Amino acid sequence: MTSPPFSESAPYGGLPDATGHFGPYGGRYVAETLMPAILELDEAYRRIAPDTDFQQELARLLAAYVGRPTPLFHAERLSRHLGGAAVFLKREDLAHTGAHKINNTIGQGLLARRMGKRKLIAETGAGQHGVATATTAALFGMECRIFMGVEDIRRQAPNVQRMRLLGAEVVPVASGTATLKDAMNEAMRYWVEAVSDTFYVIGSVAGPHPYPMMVRDFQQVIGQEVKRQMAAAAGRLPDCLAACVGGGSNAMGLFYPFLEERTVELVGVEAAGHGIPTGRHAAALGAGSVGVLHGSKSYLLQDPGGQIREAHSISAGLDYPGVGPEHAWLKDSGRARYEAVDDAAALAAFRLLCRLEGIIPALESAHALAWVIQAAPRRSPGEIIVVNLSGRGDKDLGIVVPRIQPEGKEHP
Amino acid sequence: MNRIPRTFADLAARKEKALIGFITAGDPDRTISLAAIQAMCRAGLDLLELGVPFSDPTADGPAIQRSSARALAAGMDLRRAIEMAASIRGCTEIPLVLFSYYNPILAYGAEAFYRHAVAAGADGVLVVDLPPEESAELTSRWPGKALSLIRLTAPTTPPARLEAIAASASGFIYHVSKLGVTGSEGVSVAEVEQKVRELRRVTRLPVCVGFGISTPAQVAAFSTVCDGVVVGSAFERLIEENLGRAELPRILAERVAALKAATRGGKGNAAP
């Protein structure tokens, strides 16, 4: 049985507070037109999520439909190749729809149903959250509309086709940079108008309160399983957890159950794109500054005048100029640290995992792997690093294949 | 006396309602924008909302999104918008309200923003995405009370919340006519009238209505139920349709005159 995602007695300071703040971060920075909806959602979540029937229904779907628990796999060939710490992969890529995103969409979908909302909307970058939301809408017999930047529609075409097959309407967003942030802008605009019968399923630990808390709660099943699986496999806690961070949902889901386990090192890996010094990256925590975007205060990529700067990453899911507010808090408090790896390192990690373990990782997850590839050789064989393999990479073949030289000459 | 209450008192004495114009600062560039705004002020605008362009205007519809993008491309930002406010103040005594998303103000610094805005002759500020729950971090750093903080209310705002918002508001209340983004269509006078009646019970501040109001007929209709009407996207569309034409200031001024005439129907002002 999956553990409840809702924890009244949350660890690490019991954050967020009642108004959705993680220290100075988070909050609810939205127009008054959205405030009543945000307050209604907060009230509904606090009332419905702890309910036993809700928890049982969620646990049943996570097991029977999503396929949880996902395996924790000891990547022995990769570990041997790196010659240091033992590397374990948390196989979120094996969850239904191929990424961790569905843990959250099933949770929010159930909540939407309890609230009497008949329509789901969502923003998506790589398309994984869009696919997961479309899947949830199909499962629950709801209407679904997915907002996606035209740039992302182009580079993640297979996921667009999947969403349409699942019955969702994919709304192209051409404004701004035509990527994830603009899709989120457009979803917020649409939601304002449709708020009476429509539930906005945010896919990351971003947005106005209660979203960062709620998405984290629905994703923390990842870390809870890792804790149990690691105990069974090694009889102890891991030494280090690594996960990629765009908005930061898979990282929060992995980290959260370990926040009070101070011996466990937490490492979030951002996208350095073409490299931090080039300015063409998506490392909000590593190279950004504090600001307000999409309803919460956190680190952002912005110019000195407070205009949001364009993010750059080969991975559409990390191509976002902000980051969830709880990550900002974990960074400032020192509980987690944040590294960045560039496009080239992520591509090399992608390729290495394919060859050594027979697993095609999502480009997002390949960023976390790339950091582990750098870090593991410097650590002793007794150490254990768990990497969140947050998604599978089939969606990325169109990006990856033209960029990597074939190694063997067997297919000239 | 701050220009905002004085303006509403004068209008009430003349049995007129306020015509409030929203214009993005620097659209399509600083020079044209300044000429256009000055022409609009001379043509009878009662209060100017000077929009600070933002890269991610989540509460705005396509017309203001595009106007923000044009202004940003031409180099406008909060600092230059405040400078523009000072230039506008040089030729008009109508109240000026800076209209911004929060992040540019946060980046500017709350105290510097206050000092520079007041020095430029601004009378108020409306921060779209800063609800009362979060606004203390801005206003607590203000070293004076010369700047009104204009609050938004929405069709979905419940009565208790209306009361709380009104209690922390100053200048006037900006009631959003319908759920949606700026420039969306299908506003109902009857629904707005009901909400304005609720607001009258909790505040003596003037109540103005905006979002989706573009024609003289709409201005006349809403003028019967509130103290002022905001027109924004309609002006931005006019700018867009007349990009590159020297007549732009005159075209905007004519529209202002037509809309202003529609505010002179005369009933239902707030208590003076």
Side-chain angles (χ1 to χ4, degrees):
Chain A
M1 146 109 200
T2 313
S3 305
F6 189 85
S7 48
E8 272 293 343
S9 57
Y12 211 69
L15 298 173
D17 65 18
T19 54
H21 294 88
F22 302 88
Y25 304 113
R28 287 182 280 233
Y29 295 85
V30 296
E32 188 56 34
T33 40
L34 273 183
M35 276 305 285
I38 297 285
L39 294 169
E40 177 200 6
L41 176 61
D42 189 25
E43 183 280 321
Y45 179 64
R46 287 177 188 279
R47 177 169 45 84
I48 294 167
D51 175 70
T52 309
D53 289 345
F54 179 88
Q55 286 300 330
Q56 284 176 349
E57 178 73 353
L58 178 59
R60 184 185 71 79
L61 286 170
L62 288 179
Y65 186 72
V66 176
R68 304 208 71 90
T70 58
L72 181 68
F73 175 68
H74 182 191
E76 293 184 58
R77 292 194 70 216
L78 177 66
S79 303
R80 248 196 325 275
H81 174 81
L82 297 174
V87 179
F88 283 72
L89 307 175
K90 179 58 174 168
R91 299 290 310 275
E92 291 300 294
D93 59 316
L94 293 178
H96 179 44
T97 72
H100 72 291
K101 292 291 186 186
I102 196 158
N103 303 329
N104 169 52
T105 60
I106 293 283
Q108 290 196 41
L110 278 174
L111 184 62
R113 197 163 72 178
R114 289 284 192 102
M115 290 173 71
K117 309 281 182 183
R118 304 289 310 147
K119 299 176 184 172
L120 301 183
I121 59 167
E123 83 292 338
T124 198
Q128 291 303 117
H129 176 57
V131 168
T133 304
T135 299
T136 301
L139 177 67
F140 293 159
M142 293 173 167
E143 277 180 48
C144 184
R145 188 177 296 231
I146 305 294
F147 295 86
M148 189 169 186
V150 293
E151 170 69 12
D152 291 335
I153 286 177
R154 185 187 59 72
R155 58 181 169 175
Q156 308 278 216
N159 274 344
V160 176
Q161 288 163 354
R162 292 168 78 197
M163 286 184 268
R164 289 184 174 141
L165 279 172
L166 291 161
E169 182 190 346
V170 178
V171 182
V173 178
S175 58
T177 57
T179 60
L180 179 54
K181 88 174 168 73
D182 309 286
M184 199 156 174
N185 290 345
E186 208 53 39
M188 288 175 82
R189 290 181 187 119
Y190 180 87
W191 194 36
V192 172
E193 204 149 352
V195 76
S196 61
D197 65 350
T198 299
F199 189 104
Y200 181 13
V201 183
I202 291 184
S204 197
V205 286
H209 178 67
Y211 283 102
M213 169 181 80
M214 184 166 69
V215 176
R216 172 200 74 193
D217 290 349
F218 286 132
Q219 289 294 0
Q220 68 165 310
V221 64
I222 301 170
Q224 288 166 344
E225 287 177 5
V226 166
K227 225 175 200 179
R228 283 200 302 275
Q229 290 166 323
M230 204 73 246
R236 66 177 183 91
L237 293 168
D239 299 291
C240 174
L241 305 176
C244 64
V245 176
S249 69
N250 89 80
M252 250 354 281
L254 177 63
F255 293 172
Y256 190 65
F258 290 91
L259 291 181
E260 294 297 314
E261 311 285 1
R262 303 303 175 96
T263 60
V264 181
E265 183 186 0
L266 308 177
V267 180
V269 184
E270 295 188 296
H274 297 273
I276 303 285
T278 67
R280 294 171 62 82
H281 58 80
L285 289 162
S289 55
V290 175
V292 167
L293 177 67
H294 293 149
S296 60
K297 186 185 281 183
S298 186
Y299 283 83
L300 292 180
L301 302 180
Q302 57 184 328
D303 72 14
Q307 306 292 338
I308 308 307
R309 283 178 40 207
E310 195 175 346
H312 289 274
S313 172
I314 194 171
S315 137
L318 303 183
D319 201 351
Y320 181 67
V323 65
E326 193 163 12
H327 285 294
W329 173 241
L330 293 177
K331 171 191 158 82
D332 282 11
S333 67
R335 180 61 191 94
R337 68 191 172 90
Y338 295 85
E339 304 279 347
V341 304
D342 64 16
D343 290 348
L347 278 169
F350 182 103
R351 183 180 174 80
L352 192 67
L353 197 71
C354 291
R355 293 300 179 94
L356 288 181
E357 300 289 356
I359 296 169
I360 302 175
L363 270 175
E364 290 77 18
S365 322
H367 284 72
L369 267 173
W371 177 79
V372 170
I373 288 168
Q374 294 164 17
R378 297 195 294 266
R379 301 188 179 214
S380 76
E383 286 189 48
I384 296 172
I385 302 177
V386 174
V387 192
N388 201 1
L389 204 71
S390 55
R392 69 177 184 220
D394 311 47
K395 70 185 176 61
D396 294 315
L397 296 187
I399 298 166
V400 172
V401 172
R403 282 178 170 79
I404 55 178
Q405 301 300 317
E407 200 168 79
K409 297 288 182 201
E410 65 272 25
H411 303 294
Chain B
M1 192 182 189
N2 182 297
R3 293 179 192 88
I4 296 174
R6 195 175 64 205
T7 292
F8 281 99
D10 289 352
L11 286 164
R14 298 203 303 267
K15 303 225 181 308
E16 289 177 21
K17 302 304 171 66
L19 176 67
I20 300 174
F22 170 95
I23 284 281
T24 303
D27 173 23
D29 65 35
R30 186 185 179 283
T31 309
I32 297 172
S33 180
L34 193 57
I37 289 168
Q38 286 168 343
M40 290 170 75
C41 292
R42 283 194 298 271
L45 210 58
D46 295 306
L47 189 151
L48 174 69
E49 285 181 355
L50 189 63
V52 177
F54 183 51
S55 53
D56 294 80
T58 51
D60 285 301
I64 294 180
Q65 287 175 43
R66 289 195 299 267
S67 94
S68 288
R70 285 192 299 269
L72 287 172
M76 184 50 56
D77 59 11
L78 177 55
R79 184 175 61 77
R80 294 186 179 97
I82 292 172
E83 288 168 11
M84 251 186 91
S87 302
I88 296 164
R89 177 53 74 222
C91 59
T92 180
E93 271 303 301
I94 69 169
L96 292 181
V97 171
L98 291 164
F99 192 106
S100 182
Y101 286 83
Y102 184 44
N103 199 52
I105 297 177
L106 182 64
Y108 199 94
E111 188 182 339
F113 170 76
Y114 176 92
R115 289 189 189 284
H116 297 170
V118 170
D123 302 282
V125 58
L126 193 159
V127 190
V128 190
D129 53 350
L130 193 69
E133 285 86 346
E134 305 289 351
S135 65
E137 70 175 43
L138 177 67
T139 54
S140 67
R141 290 173 195 156
W142 286 359
K145 292 187 188 314
L147 212 52
S148 296
L149 185 65
I150 315 299
R151 294 285 192 202
L152 292 168
T153 58
T156 44
T157 310
R161 190 169 169 82
L162 277 185
E163 197 166 349
I165 291 171
S168 70
S170 53
F172 62 91
I173 302 279
Y174 186 142
H175 179 65
V176 174
S177 61
K178 65 178 294 275
L179 288 180
V181 292
T182 50
S184 42
E185 290 171 352
V187 288
S188 148
V189 178
E191 276 175 39
V192 168
E193 184 173 20
Q194 171 57 32
K195 211 68 185 178
V196 172
R197 210 173 290 136
E198 285 179 43
L199 275 163
R200 299 278 194 225
R201 283 198 282 271
V202 296
T203 184
R204 293 173 67 86
L205 289 173
V207 178
C208 301
V209 174
F211 278 39
I213 301 175
S214 59
T215 65
Q218 285 175 313
V219 169
F222 283 98
S223 285
T224 63
V225 302
C226 62
D227 305 309
V229 177
V230 187
V231 176
S233 296
F235 292 133
E236 306 297 358
R237 282 193 290 267
L238 269 186
I239 292 174
E240 194 165 65
E241 288 159 10
N242 292 283
L243 286 172
R245 295 184 62 190
E247 306 92 310
L248 178 64
R250 184 179 55 76
I251 292 167
L252 285 165
E254 282 169 5
R255 180 65 63 91
V256 166
L259 294 168
K260 178 57 202 170
T263 68
R264 299 190 178 106
K267 67 165 184 150
N269 287 76

